[in-house]
Amino acid sequence: SVPGAGYGIIVQKVETEDGSMVEKGINFVFVDNDYLDTMEMEVIQGRNFNPELQTDLEEAILINEAAARILGYGEEAIGKKIEFGVNPDGDPVRSTRVIGVVKDFHYASLHNPVDPILILLADSPLRNLSLRISGDNVAGTIDYIREKWTEFCPTFPFEYTFLEDNLNDLYIAEQKIAKVFTYFALVSIFIACLGLFGLAAYTANQRTKEIGIRKVMGANVTNISTLLAVEFTKWVLIANIIAWPVAYFALQKWLDNFAYQIDITKNIGIFIVSGCIAIAIAIITVSFQAIKAALANPIDALKYE
């Protein structure tokens, strides 16, 4: 089994603190002796599976911290009895005891907290072979693995994925939303720039005489450009101040879909940076018309009707 897929849920009978057995529906995965080492998972209580102990196959089980908490085991999980599954005759498929507690790891999407999970040794080959590679010469490594796979399993096609890709697939919906928002944001910025450009041209045209008088009185290009740019910038700033609470509310509602999330109040710089970008875009948009008006001949401006 691999994180992100390959786990199921079944009703188990678990030992309680008073020694009685109660039924609980808990997720489970089948693994081999090298699974925890390959995935670099940490055993914080007890031990890992031992390939030299044949009894581990039928009698040993690992649980994660979440399972230890939910089942009320705390620091005394080792040795607790868990009956896995039920045969047609009513007897458990396996009668196991906890040999170790694994540090919590995410085996599903971050939309949910880490749920309890039981880890058992598989008594037959599974669907997946997990390999940890160094990352150097990935293409050559995959070719080598393909060669060995064909040597040992010629009747099965060699298919592979990277774990990071499997985990990314858990967030396809978020990736699609990000693309949609990106496209709409670009369209919105383009339309807003067109509006600003037209409004700047109209404003400069309406203030032609004023600009001419200011130039005659000694105003330079920088003064006049700044005058027109500031007029639009203040409205963009006001728009940002109005938009920030709305954006905060929308982001918080979206983050509520995840069990683990950032604190937006500690990342207020995001809003400040977005506001600065909006103001910069506005200044760039209107600066063409502002500079054009500032460079106009003041005599023509004074003659303008």
Side-chain angles (χ1 to χ4, degrees):
S1 302
V2 293
Y7 65 92
I9 187 169
I10 195 172
V11 175
Q12 336 278 346
K13 283 188 177 180
V14 299
E15 183 179 358
T16 61
E17 294 179 272
D18 60 8
S20 61
M21 303 295 291
V22 298
E23 292 184 345
K24 292 277 189 181
I26 306 176
N27 294 326
F28 69 92
V29 289
F30 283 111
V31 303
D32 66 1
N33 289 290
D34 300 311
Y35 184 79
L36 266 63
D37 291 336
T38 301
M39 295 295 175
E40 295 186 346
M41 296 175 182
E42 180 183 355
V43 178
I44 58 175
Q45 287 186 47
R47 64 175 177 85
N48 191 4
F49 295 119
N50 187 340
E52 297 181 1
L53 297 177
Q54 294 298 319
T55 54
D56 275 5
L57 180 61
E58 292 293 335
E59 300 177 8
I61 193 169
L62 297 171
I63 64 175
N64 66 346
E65 291 178 286
R69 289 192 299 269
I70 294 296
L71 299 176
Y73 294 162
E75 300 294 328
E76 301 177 356
I78 307 304
K80 294 294 184 180
K81 186 177 181 180
I82 296 179
E83 295 181 351
F84 178 81
V86 180
N87 282 315
D89 58 6
D91 293 331
V93 175
R94 292 190 190 181
S95 182
T96 64
R97 291 192 180 274
V98 177
I99 62 167
V101 177
V102 180
K103 185 177 180 63
D104 279 343
F105 60 95
H106 292 283
Y107 60 89
S109 165
L110 292 179
H111 290 90
N112 307 308
V114 177
D115 289 324
I117 195 166
L118 309 180
I119 304 172
L120 301 99
L121 277 178
D123 55 5
S124 61
L126 297 174
R127 295 176 59 88
N128 302 300
L129 171 65
S130 296
L131 300 174
R132 176 177 292 277
I133 64 178
S134 66
D136 299 327
N137 190 20
V138 174
T141 303
I142 292 175
D143 288 340
Y144 175 78
I145 297 171
R146 180 184 287 106
E147 177 185 338
K148 291 301 178 183
W149 179 274
T150 304
E151 179 182 338
F152 288 101
C153 307
T155 57
F156 290 90
F158 176 72
E159 299 175 345
Y160 72 92
T161 61
F162 289 98
L163 179 58
E164 61 181 318
D165 295 332
N166 296 343
L167 296 178
N168 285 336
D169 288 343
L170 299 175
Y171 309 101
I172 290 177
E174 282 71 27
Q175 293 168 5
K176 289 181 178 178
I177 290 174
K179 287 183 179 179
V180 170
F181 267 85
T182 299
Y183 295 146
F184 272 98
L186 291 174
V187 171
S188 299
I189 291 172
F190 179 71
I191 294 174
C193 288
L194 288 178
L196 278 173
F197 188 82
L199 189 58
Y202 175 77
T203 302
N205 187 59
Q206 290 293 101
R207 301 176 66 173
T208 299
K209 281 192 174 183
E210 177 191 342
I211 294 171
I213 294 172
R214 288 180 179 274
K215 290 195 69 174
V216 170
M217 297 298 293
N220 56 30
V221 174
T222 302
N223 298 141
I224 296 174
S225 299
T226 303
L227 175 69
L228 294 176
V230 168
E231 183 173 341
F232 291 98
T233 301
K234 68 179 181 182
W235 292 112
V236 175
L237 180 60
I238 293 172
N240 272 274
I241 294 173
I242 296 173
W244 286 344
V246 178
Y248 174 85
F249 176 78
L251 282 172
Q252 192 59 59
K253 293 295 291 183
W254 178 70
L255 287 172
D256 287 343
N257 294 319
F258 295 86
Y260 306 92
Q261 54 186 252
I262 63 170
D263 185 352
I264 300 180
T265 58
K266 294 181 180 179
N267 293 270
I268 201 69
I270 296 174
F271 296 94
I272 296 174
V273 170
S274 65
C276 291
I277 292 173
I279 291 173
I281 292 174
I283 292 174
I284 292 171
T285 302
V286 303
S287 61
F288 175 78
Q289 291 294 348
I291 294 173
K292 180 182 177 182
L295 291 173
N297 190 327
I299 297 176
D300 294 334
L302 294 174
K303 292 179 179 179
Y304 179 80
E305 290 295 337

